[in-house]
């Protein structure tokens, strides 16, 4: 006998739930992720921070991506990080941190690998705020530790 979809309730994903090794964003886990990213953006003065999956698809965004070619940039970063992920696997590193840095005239961009499944991309508009690698490194590593529980 077939079940009536209106009467059969699918289980609601719990906090941090995963389906087929995919992050399921729920109100329970989205708020803490946004909170950590917002605090990091405020501390560092970023234009935006994006959490993406390994394909470069934005999962969570804080700030504005106005005038940024994210549809091109994020897949390029993702491709770059697939190589570094393989380097970590070959070295039997389970919790390595990989960092990509772009220092330009208009923008500084930092991209961190999180649990070899996500990318945390920080963008600084140099007309608004400058970045310092030491401060970015320390603050972002702290934020990644906080995000780790929500993402793993």
């Amino acid at each position: 006998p077939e079940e009536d979809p209106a009467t059969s309730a699918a289980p609601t994903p719990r906090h941090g739930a995963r389906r087929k090794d995919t992050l399921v964003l729920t109100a329970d886990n989205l708020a803490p992720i946004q909170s950590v990213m917002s605090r990091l953006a405020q501390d560092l003065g970023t234009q935006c921070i994006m959490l993406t999956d390994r394909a470069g698809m934005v999962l969570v965004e804080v700030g504005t991506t106005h005038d940024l070619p994210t549809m091109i940039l994020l897949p390029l970063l993702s491709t770059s990080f697939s190589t570094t992920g393989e380097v970590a696997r070959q070295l039997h590193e389970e919790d390595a941190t990989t960092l990509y840095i772009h220092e330009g005239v208009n923008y500084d961009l930092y991209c961190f690998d999180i649990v070899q499944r996500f990318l945390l991309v920080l963008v600084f508009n140099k007309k608004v705020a400058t970045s310092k690698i030491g401060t970015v490194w320390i603050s972002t590593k702290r934020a990644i530790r906080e995000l780790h529980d929500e993402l793993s």
Side-chain angles (χ1 to χ4, degrees), residues 90-141:
Q90 292 300 319
L91 295 173
H92 306 289
E93 298 285 352
E94 293 181 19
D95 197 20
T97 299
T98 301
L99 169 63
Y100 170 87
I101 301 171
H102 166 85
E103 184 178 29
V105 174
N106 300 308
Y107 295 98
D108 286 346
L109 185 141
Y110 299 84
C111 185
F112 291 82
D113 184 33
I114 302 178
V115 296
Q116 296 180 7
R117 294 186 54 223
F118 304 98
L119 301 178
L120 189 65
V121 181
L122 290 73
V123 178
F124 292 84
N125 181 332
K126 292 181 103 170
K127 294 175 185 166
V128 178
T130 59
S131 66
K132 296 187 181 190
I133 183 63
T135 305
V136 171
W137 176 261
I138 291 168
S139 297
T140 306
K141 286 292 284 184

Side-chain angles (χ1 to χ4, degrees), residues 17-102:
R18 302 215 174 275
R19 269 190 226 153
K20 297 181 184 177
D21 204 32
T22 302
L23 176 67
V24 177
L25 290 176
T26 65
D28 287 340
N29 64 0
L30 184 59
I33 291 169
Q34 284 178 320
S35 176
V36 169
M37 290 172 60
S38 293
R39 196 169 48 249
L40 181 61
Q42 186 175 14
D43 290 349
L44 296 176
T46 62
Q47 174 178 326
C48 66
I49 299 178
M50 296 167 282
L51 178 69
T52 75
D53 64 11
R54 282 302 215 167
M57 298 298 296
V58 177
L59 302 173
V60 182
E61 181 179 303
V62 172
T64 178
T65 58
H66 182 69
D67 290 336
L68 293 174
T70 57
M71 297 297 286
I72 297 168
L73 284 177
L74 297 176
L76 288 171
L77 287 169
S78 176
T79 301
S80 172
F81 272 81
S82 67
T83 302
T84 61
E86 185 57 31
V87 169
R89 280 187 285 283
Q90 292 300 319
L91 295 173
H92 306 289
E93 298 285 352
E94 293 181 19
D95 197 20
T97 299
T98 301
L99 169 63
Y100 170 87
I101 301 171
H102 166 85

